Amino acid sequence: MKAVLRSKEFRRIEQLPRRDWSEGAESLIDTLTESLKTPEGTMRLREVQAAALTEIGLNRGLFAPVGVGHGKTLISLLAPLMINCERPLLLVPAQLRAATVSKYCRELSKHWHIPVSFCDGSMVVSYSALSTKNGKDLLDKLQPDLIICDEVHYLKHARSARTKRFLRYMRANPSTRFVGMSGTVTKKSIREYWHLVRLALPEACPLPTRWVEMNDWANALDENVRPEMRTAPGALKYLCEGDETPREGYRRRLVQTPGVLCTRESELGTSLVIRKDRPMPTTRIKRALNDLQSEWVTPSGEDVSDSLDFYRKARELSLGFYYRWVWDASVSEAAKATWLNSRAQWRRLVREQTSRGPYDTELLVANAYASGDLTKDSILFWDWREVKASTPPPETEAVWFCDSLLRRVTLPKEPCLIWVDNKALADRLSELLELPYYGAGPRDTRRLLSHIENKDGHAILSIQAHGTGKNLQTYNQSLVLTCPSSGATWEQLLGRLHRPGQEADEVVFRVWTHTKPLQDAFNQAIADASYIETTLGSKQKLSYASVIDQRQ
């Protein structure tokens, strides 16, 4: 088996200085506060904020897996004051841009010297803006010499359009400094943040700077590596002390590197409880899931392509609905039949290929056929590609074959947030419970903030739109109907309520795990949280929450 080598690059990493950022951090607070606040300012920096800003000044960059609730927004707004720069740029999620400019900058500028370009919004850009056609040359036009990324995990996918454009700019402008912060920088692999650490600390990166060597580290440390790809830890033992595992030794090397600031969460003096609710699924739901498991076909006759597609559809069936095609009247019956037959054959081929590996998603299989890496039954790929290009695809609509479970949703007397990841589910639930739903877009964000300010009680929220970046600690009760399978998603979601400012003695999240696919999703999230905690040292809320299995 291949092993991690004690190469010249490995020895460079071994010899990097180490420090504990928390030592002496409290003594920095008053001096930094005094130098950064306005004459009228009454706010005071927190310990993590003071330490992070100091690290930025000393290292001219920062990689910070900082937990939720530690004040990353203020760090990002004050970072330009710690580095000699002329055109700082702040990148934020799209759903947070308006609030950052109109709310946070306006309120915090009363207390702190925040750059004017942040307050007027001219240098505050959303990640989604980088993904658009007009965003292709956006960074070239703005020419930032410091880029600060709040929720930097939006740049973890190196092949996405926004990340490619970001990396292209950084390569063309190597003097541009970088600050990246997030409570969830990784889900399962060091590959997800390797390029970000390199940018933050180009002269003192605690990871191999060459892809081949970094890939060996990842195959030794990561979760869910195929056995044939697994690399033996080898030289990683030299990072360990005592009985540390390679993951623990790596974590200590990473978090003790100057310029890396990683927090370990605490329970905030408020207990966190996750109750796994298991309402009894109906016979119709059980039958639909059994048919999906045995035939890999939905009630509408649609073939499932891969394991991700299977679990997505199984989660929908677990709640009593599925999607079916709705064709435009202009499409002939013959064209419909050709489209459906070609797609079904292609998906069966994808299922066959993903069961063998190494391609485990439909996209990867398609890319392999397009490049010629896969050739078996390639006619099915090219037929489907041609049919897909010549026939307008149908729309989809949700079909509710059983909403009995939704009718049995019970809510506590205290205001409760109901979390979902599907608009069709949200709309049905909103109709049954007569509650407002807040989904994606600035309009719904404004409506949600008004709902919270007015203390209007129960509400239904989109996990994707509001599971990050929102301060919802006025609530202490949540119900999660569509269980996320990602530990990083759970960390952000739990952090909306379980965060500084929470005044309740207990925060309770109920999550439905009444079918095997939903239970599997929760188990995967627990495994993810364990990996993140072991490799980054950030204590995960899923790990210290009290998990209660509650059958109904």
Side-chain angles (χ1 to χ4, degrees):
M1 177 186 286
K2 189 177 183 181
V4 173
L5 300 176
R6 199 178 188 190
S7 62
K8 180 179 179 181
E9 179 70 350
F10 188 96
R11 292 176 182 276
R12 177 192 67 78
I13 295 169
E14 274 188 290
Q15 295 166 10
L16 289 174
R18 293 176 180 262
R19 60 88 178 93
D20 181 347
W21 68 262
S22 63
E23 291 183 0
E26 189 174 352
S27 64
L28 302 170
I29 295 175
D30 289 338
T31 302
L32 263 181
T33 297
E34 190 61 33
S35 64
L36 298 176
K37 75 178 185 69
T38 63
E40 302 80 19
T42 59
M43 294 181 68
R44 186 171 182 263
L45 292 173
R46 303 177 194 172
E47 182 176 309
V48 171
Q49 292 170 330
L53 291 168
T54 300
E55 290 287 328
I56 292 170
L58 292 174
N59 301 284
R60 302 188 68 235
L62 180 72
F63 176 71
V66 175
V68 296
H70 282 293
K72 293 191 294 294
T73 298
L74 184 58
I75 296 172
S76 64
L77 295 177
L78 294 179
L81 304 183
M82 308 303 296
I83 293 180
N84 183 23
C85 61
E86 297 179 359
R87 296 175 304 282
L89 175 70
L90 175 59
L91 288 175
V92 297
Q95 65 269 24
L96 296 182
R97 186 189 178 280
T100 299
V101 175
S102 63
K103 183 182 179 190
Y104 302 137
C105 282
R106 184 180 68 244
E107 294 177 357
L108 293 173
S109 62
K110 300 173 184 176
H111 302 271
W112 307 97
H113 291 293
I114 295 173
V116 174
S117 60
F118 288 176
C119 294
D120 64 19
S122 61
M123 292 296 277
V124 180
V125 172
S126 70
Y127 292 106
S128 59
L130 291 183
S131 304
T132 65
K133 182 178 180 180
N134 293 334
K136 182 179 180 180
D137 302 316
L138 180 58
L139 293 177
D140 292 320
K141 293 175 181 176
L142 295 175
Q143 283 292 304
D145 53 359
L146 166 65
I147 299 180
I148 306 148
C149 293
D150 192 3
E151 307 297 359
V152 73
H153 57 272
Y154 279 79
L155 294 176
K156 70 182 180 181
H157 296 298
R159 294 184 179 180
S160 69
R162 60 172 168 250
T163 307
K164 285 181 178 178
R165 291 168 181 177
F166 167 74
L167 293 176
R168 185 167 60 244
Y169 178 82
M170 295 298 287
R171 284 194 295 268
N173 300 271
S175 63
T176 301
R177 308 308 297 187
F178 174 70
V179 170
M181 298 178 290
S182 173
T184 50
V185 295
T186 183
K187 290 183 179 180
K188 298 178 182 178
S189 176
I190 63 176
R191 295 183 185 90
E192 295 175 314
Y193 58 84
W194 166 70
H195 54 293
L196 303 174
V197 182
R198 288 182 64 199
L199 293 175
L201 303 170
E203 293 86 22
C205 180
L207 282 163
T209 54
R210 293 175 60 247
W211 168 261
V212 173
E213 200 163 341
M214 188 284 304
N215 201 46
D216 287 343
W217 283 41
N219 286 334
L221 296 168
D222 286 353
E223 280 283 291
N224 301 325
V225 176
R226 293 180 183 273
E228 66 272 17
M229 301 297 293
R230 178 64 74 183
T231 301
L236 290 173
K237 66 183 180 183
Y238 292 103
L239 300 181
C240 301
E241 290 184 353
D243 58 355
E244 284 184 332
T245 66
R247 282 184 180 177
E248 291 167 339
Y250 161 77
R251 177 197 67 208
R252 193 164 47 78
R253 168 65 278 180
L254 175 68
V255 302
Q256 290 182 350
T257 302
V260 176
L261 192 149
C262 185
T263 58
R264 291 189 63 86
E265 300 305 297
S266 67
E267 284 87 342
L268 309 174
T270 296
S271 61
L272 176 60
V273 177
I274 299 176
R275 290 200 173 100
K276 294 162 60 179
D277 285 357
R278 299 195 186 189
M280 184 62 68
T282 66
T283 301
R284 298 184 71 184
I285 289 177
K286 290 180 181 177
R287 186 184 304 123
L289 286 170
N290 287 338
D291 291 345
L292 182 70
Q293 178 69 54
S294 60
E295 304 294 334
W296 275 53
V297 175
T298 69
S300 64
E302 181 186 356
D303 280 86
V304 176
S305 62
D306 54 44
S307 59
L308 292 177
D309 192 35
F310 174 87
Y311 275 101
R312 181 167 54 249
K313 289 178 167 58
R315 284 150 57 87
E316 294 163 0
L317 294 177
S318 295
L319 293 164
F321 73 103
Y322 61 88
Y323 285 94
R324 69 181 174 196
W325 302 119
V326 180
W327 291 92
D328 187 271
S330 63
V331 180
S332 69
E333 291 300 321
K336 293 178 190 177
T338 299
W339 192 93
L340 290 169
N341 182 60
S342 178
R343 185 175 187 271
Q345 292 188 66
W346 160 244
R347 290 206 141 196
R348 292 186 193 112
L349 178 60
V350 170
R351 190 160 67 241
E352 178 185 343
Q353 292 291 353
T354 55
S355 66
R356 297 174 178 176
Y359 310 104
D360 54 8
T361 68
E362 182 176 359
L363 178 61
L364 291 178
V365 172
N367 290 341
Y369 273 108
S371 64
D373 292 338
L374 281 177
T375 57
K376 183 180 182 296
D377 295 325
S378 61
I379 186 65
L380 299 179
F381 165 72
W382 295 109
D383 280 351
W384 168 235
R385 187 167 179 172
E386 182 178 346
V387 169
K388 186 169 61 171
S390 61
T391 304
E395 300 291 333
T396 59
E397 68 176 5
V399 177
W400 287 91
F401 65 92
C402 180
D403 63 5
S404 299
L405 286 182
L406 296 192
R407 293 180 183 274
R408 285 155 50 191
V409 168
T410 59
L411 298 176
K413 292 182 180 179
E414 299 90 345
C416 178
L417 299 176
I418 306 172
W419 297 93
V420 298
D421 66 1
N422 183 287
K423 189 174 187 303
L425 171 61
D427 290 342
R428 187 69 161 194
L429 202 60
S430 180
E431 177 186 350
L432 292 174
L433 299 180
E434 297 183 347
L435 292 176
Y437 166 61
Y438 302 107
R443 178 176 176 273
D444 271 23
T445 296
R446 290 193 297 270
R447 290 175 57 234
L448 172 60
L449 295 176
S450 175
H451 182 105
I452 295 169
E453 187 175 343
N454 295 328
K455 299 180 179 180
D456 286 338
H458 304 315
I460 304 166
L461 273 63
S462 161
I463 294 175
Q464 295 92 329
H466 306 296
T468 61
K470 302 295 192 303
N471 299 335
L472 305 176
Q473 63 267 34
T474 54
Y475 287 79
N476 70 315
Q477 299 279 336
S478 276
L479 170 61
V480 183
L481 292 185
T482 50
C483 178
S485 60
S486 161
T489 301
W490 267 105
E491 180 69 11
Q492 289 283 356
L493 187 59
L494 295 171
R496 298 312 98 215
L497 279 64
H498 193 255
R499 60 187 297 118
Q502 175 58 255
E503 297 181 356
D505 294 330
E506 181 179 77
V507 170
V508 178
F509 275 75
R510 292 160 52 207
V511 54
W512 277 15
T513 57
H514 58 285
T515 65
K516 186 177 184 301
L518 293 176
Q519 179 60 48
D520 288 346
F522 188 76
N523 290 341
Q524 182 59 60
I526 293 288
D528 286 356
S530 175
Y531 167 78
I532 294 168
E533 188 165 318
T534 305
T535 57
L536 287 179
S538 301
K539 194 169 185 182
Q540 299 294 289
K541 295 180 185 295
L542 270 181
S543 298
Y544 64 69
S546 299
V547 180
I548 301 172
D549 200 337
Q550 184 170 312
R551 294 183 180 273
Q552 294 184 9

